[in-house]
Amino acid sequence: MKTYGGSFLYHLDDRQLAIGLVVALNYRNPFLSPYDEFQKFKQHPAIRTLLEGGTVLQYGARTLNEGGFQSIPNPVFPGGAIIGCSAGFLNVPKIKGSHTAMKSGMLAAEATFKALVEGSSMDLYWENLKKSWIWDELYRARNYRPAFEYGFIPGMALSAVERYIFKGKSPFTLKHGKPDHEATEMANLHLPISYPKPDGQVSFDVPSSLYRSNTNHEHDQPPHLRLRDPAVPESVNLPQYAGPESRYCPARVYEYVSDENGDPKLHINAQNCLHCKACDIKDPKQNIEWTVPEGGGGPGYTVM
């Protein structure tokens, strides 16, 4: 009731379905596993009947930046600009961002043209963005996401007031809570979550799903997942948070194994990485750094 999230299910051509589960990374329970929550979600009677007898074509994962209006950064930097969902132009209540992505791309292109031809600054993009309907739309939707910081029931109530009474013109602006990594609470404050075993028909284990992502990295390339302090996983994450990196990663890149002395040691399977960047965001001590892999390795999505 205190974890924000949602789901989607789209009917496509040729009797295909696109299904997914969204779990906000500011969840508190370190035992929560977004991957296993997704497998559990597919067992719901209303969902399972749509999936039974079908064949999984592809699996993937990605972190969404849906902080909304309060989280928009200055999108201009020397030599370029940030557009679309990369800048957080997602309308949270509509769960829609393709229209704002296209419009921001148009504004950036216009500013780029003037910068190249007339010698103006790319700051024109930032100025025009704040004058566009993107800014107005995201401002009207600014209070939906932070409303759920108070839980599901208060979030629904505040969202209803925002939509039907204030109609996006409320005199206040709610703030987001803690950063996602700080939201993770100590393991001793929560009970472990027991997830059902995958049945191989509707729900699947991680290796099976990972195979369907077509992920590939050259094994001899430098690791693109780096620990700022190699001692933190065993000294902090495991004893205090029960090793959450082994659960928040949707590809099981991180696992604790026994070393030659029988002590637990974090092992990183970087070749399994889906580049969702959840680790870079959710690690309690911000100790994991995702970097661009050599040679453009990663998932090979074809229908996603």
Side-chain angles (χ1 to χ4, degrees):
M1 294 293 284
K2 294 183 179 180
T3 301
Y4 178 82
S7 61
F8 61 84
L9 192 152
Y10 299 109
H11 292 260
L12 310 176
D13 293 334
D14 300 324
R15 296 176 59 82
Q16 294 182 10
L17 289 173
I19 182 172
L21 184 73
V22 178
V23 179
L25 288 179
N26 65 342
Y27 63 81
R28 304 177 185 181
N29 189 346
F31 293 107
L32 188 147
S33 167
Y35 177 87
D36 291 303
E37 291 290 340
F38 178 46
Q39 305 309 311
K40 183 179 176 182
F41 165 67
K42 290 188 290 181
Q43 295 289 358
H44 189 284
I47 304 299
R48 185 182 177 92
T49 53
L50 297 172
L51 304 178
E52 281 183 317
T55 301
V56 180
L57 299 179
Q58 206 151 83
Y59 162 80
R62 182 68 177 172
T63 298
L64 309 174
N65 42 343
E66 54 175 22
F69 184 81
Q70 295 89 321
S71 299
I72 297 176
N74 186 323
V76 177
F77 59 90
I82 308 173
I83 64 174
C85 292
S86 296
F89 299 149
L90 175 73
N91 185 317
V92 175
K94 290 185 177 181
I95 320 177
K96 183 180 178 184
S98 57
H99 62 311
T100 54
M102 288 187 286
K103 179 61 177 178
S104 65
M106 294 163 66
L107 294 174
E110 292 169 359
T112 302
F113 179 83
K114 290 189 176 182
L116 295 174
V117 176
E118 302 176 7
S120 63
S121 170
M122 279 300 293
D123 288 329
L124 180 64
Y125 165 54
W126 184 221
E127 295 169 7
N128 289 341
L129 186 68
K130 289 186 284 187
K131 297 176 184 176
S132 71
W133 55 260
I134 295 178
W135 200 257
D136 180 63
E137 179 177 324
L138 296 182
Y139 179 79
R140 290 172 178 267
R142 70 193 184 283
N143 286 331
Y144 286 88
R145 177 63 183 90
F148 286 89
E149 297 287 344
Y150 305 99
F152 176 70
I153 300 300
M156 292 294 288
L158 286 170
S159 296
V161 170
E162 186 74 12
R163 177 172 177 81
Y164 297 108
I165 298 179
F166 291 123
K167 301 183 186 301
K169 297 181 180 180
S170 54
F172 55 85
T173 297
L174 298 175
K175 295 183 179 180
H176 292 297
K178 300 177 181 178
D180 292 343
H181 68 279
E182 292 183 5
T184 312
E185 296 179 344
M186 298 288 188
N188 59 8
L189 299 177
H190 299 271
L191 295 174
I193 301 175
S194 178
Y195 291 104
K197 292 184 178 180
D199 58 17
Q201 299 176 3
V202 171
S203 58
F204 304 90
D205 58 21
V206 173
S208 300
S209 295
L210 192 61
Y211 173 77
R212 298 184 179 108
S213 70
N214 297 319
T215 297
N216 181 61
H217 296 85
E218 295 295 335
H219 289 271
D220 59 350
Q221 68 178 240
H224 70 280
L225 299 169
R226 303 168 185 172
L227 300 178
R228 292 184 171 91
D229 184 349
V232 166
E234 294 81 21
S235 62
V236 179
N237 285 12
L238 188 58
Q240 296 183 17
Y241 301 95
E245 57 269 72
S246 63
R247 289 179 290 276
Y248 60 60
C249 174
R252 296 295 190 269
V253 168
Y254 307 94
E255 61 177 340
Y256 284 90
V257 298
S258 298
D259 60 15
E260 60 273 9
N261 298 320
D263 298 321
K265 186 75 175 177
L266 180 66
H267 180 70
I268 302 178
N269 303 300
Q271 70 276 8
N272 293 351
C273 184
L274 293 172
H275 300 181
C276 73
K277 300 184 180 71
C279 57
D280 199 305
I281 299 168
K282 187 59 176 173
D283 186 71
K285 299 303 178 183
Q286 290 290 271
N287 190 50
I288 299 175
E289 182 182 14
W290 182 93
T291 60
V292 178
E294 180 185 274
Y301 300 137
T302 57
V303 296
M304 289 182 59

